[in-house]
């Protein structure tokens, strides 16, 4: 099974590279544009999808203006079952959206592999209403296999400006075995991390080619990095308090 997982995960990544390249390049262009305009990149996900918002935040070799939106009841550490139940509630997002600072110069990534639950859809619609450019990272196969739980009947993929398909299978479990009753081996996190890091790498290239010094963190474990990083933190700390 170990080799099988590697092979199937690589298949998903190669499928994304082949099928989503145009949309990923557009996403990178929008990210670079946002940073040049003084905006930031915001990311939101529930449950395991929130892991990807942490993946790119305060990351050595990563862009500085990344703001993960952490809503702890929707994460896993306060109760996994509870977080799943809350993600399915219409209007629950109203409890935290009004305090979010979405601006026209920002790009907002909303991450949900199934794309069917109300909270990610509400976040996407709210950010779009504030003028931000909204990108959905989701699975079209999964989304189209299940009805929406949102009162509008919409999924994430038809609530955003740009869709990037992570090509996860319906249910996200890629492997099967004759002695195991249910499928296993999710791919959405590993593929999602590749997608996001590839987009931001391309955005860095665009910024550099436009004559803009890309705001990139150095590893804090490299001597001399603190001075470099502290200057960048000071620039973005007002909009990203989590950098404190």
């Amino acid at each position: 099974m170990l080799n099988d997982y590697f092979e199937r995960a690589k298949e998903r990544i190669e499928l994304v590279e082949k099928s989503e390249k145009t949309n990923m390049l557009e996403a990178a262009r929008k990210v670079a544009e946002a940073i040049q305009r003084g905006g930031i990149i915001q990311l939101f996900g529930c449950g395991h999808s929130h892991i990807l918002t942490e993946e790119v935040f305060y990351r050595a070799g990563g862009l500085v203006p990344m703001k993960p939106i952490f809503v702890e009841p929707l994460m896993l550490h306060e109760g996994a079952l509870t977080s799943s139940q809350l993600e399915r509630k219409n209007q629950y997002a109203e409890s935290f959206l009004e305090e979010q600072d979405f601006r026209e110069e920002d790009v907002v990534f909303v991450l949900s592999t199934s794309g069917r639950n109300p909270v990610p859809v509400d976040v996407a619609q709210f950010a779009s209403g504030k003028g931000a450019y909204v990108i959905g990272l989701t699975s079209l196969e999964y989304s189209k296999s299940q009805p929406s739980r949102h009162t509008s009947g919409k999924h994430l993929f038809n609530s955003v400006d740009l869709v990037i398909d992570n090509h996860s299978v319906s249910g996200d479990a890629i492997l099967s075995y004759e002695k195991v009753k249910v499928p296993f081996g999710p791919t959405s996190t590993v593929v999602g991390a590749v997608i996001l890091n590839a987009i931001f790498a391309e955005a860095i290239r665009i910024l550099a080619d436009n004559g803009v010094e890309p705001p990139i963190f150095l590893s804090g474990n490299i001597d001399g990095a603190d001075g470099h990083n502290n200057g960048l933190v000071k620039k973005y700390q007002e909009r990203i308090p989590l950098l404190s």
Side-chain angles (χ1 to χ4, degrees):
M1 284 292 103
L2 187 149
N3 289 338
D4 291 316
Y5 184 80
F6 268 94
E7 288 304 314
R8 299 304 298 277
K10 285 189 287 186
E11 285 175 7
R12 297 293 107 182
I13 292 170
E14 289 168 0
L15 183 56
V16 166
E17 183 181 16
K18 178 181 178 181
S19 303
E20 305 303 313
K21 187 173 183 178
T22 298
N23 285 351
M24 290 171 67
L25 288 171
E26 177 64 8
R29 188 179 71 82
K30 289 292 186 179
V31 166
E33 208 173 78
I35 293 171
Q36 284 189 242
R37 293 170 62 194
I40 62 173
I41 314 306
Q42 305 199 47
L43 305 100
F44 174 82
C46 302
H48 284 90
S49 292
H50 102 269
I51 293 169
L52 293 174
T53 75
E54 295 199 58
E55 158 66 19
V56 297
F57 174 61
Y58 194 61
R59 188 64 189 258
L63 286 164
V64 177
M66 296 282 163
K67 181 187 176 185
I69 299 170
F70 293 148
V71 181
E72 294 199 13
L74 293 170
M75 295 156 72
L76 301 171
H77 61 278
E78 289 191 353
L81 289 175
T82 300
S83 71
S84 291
Q85 291 164 357
L86 291 176
E87 184 184 1
R88 299 178 182 186
K89 288 182 66 175
N90 282 280
Q91 285 80 54
Y92 179 78
E94 294 175 3
S95 67
F96 63 87
L97 277 176
E98 286 298 336
E99 64 191 41
Q100 301 306 316
D101 179 22
F102 296 123
R103 302 184 188 180
E104 290 183 2
E105 60 267 32
D106 296 344
V107 169
V108 178
F109 284 82
V110 181
L111 310 118
S112 172
T113 295
S114 76
R116 68 183 302 213
N117 288 317
V119 169
V121 172
D122 282 338
V123 171
Q125 293 178 351
F126 185 87
S128 182
K130 293 293 185 179
Y133 188 82
V134 184
I135 300 172
L137 179 52
T138 189
S139 165
L140 292 178
E141 176 185 328
Y142 199 159
S143 296
K144 292 177 180 180
S145 74
Q146 303 294 321
S148 171
R149 292 186 172 118
H150 195 271
T151 52
S152 69
K154 287 190 173 184
H155 289 75
L156 180 60
F157 73 82
N158 51 15
S159 301
V160 298
D161 297 301
L162 180 70
V163 177
I164 298 172
D165 190 350
N166 66 16
H167 289 273
S168 294
V169 298
S170 181
D172 197 19
I174 202 76
L175 298 177
S176 61
Y177 187 60
E178 63 269 16
K179 296 181 181 179
V180 180
K181 293 181 180 180
V182 297
F184 55 98
T187 61
S188 59
T189 303
V190 64
V191 175
V194 171
I195 289 171
L196 290 176
N197 282 301
I199 289 170
F200 299 144
E202 178 66 14
I204 287 168
R205 182 198 66 78
I206 294 170
L207 288 168
D209 286 349
N210 288 345
V212 177
E213 181 67 31
I216 303 169
F217 276 120
L218 282 171
S219 170
N221 295 312
I222 294 176
D223 288 347
D226 288 351
H228 170 88
N229 291 341
N230 290 342
L232 290 169
V233 166
K234 182 179 288 188
K235 179 178 179 179
Y236 290 105
Q237 195 169 28
E238 182 179 347
R239 292 215 58 204
I240 311 175
L242 286 168
L243 287 172
S244 62

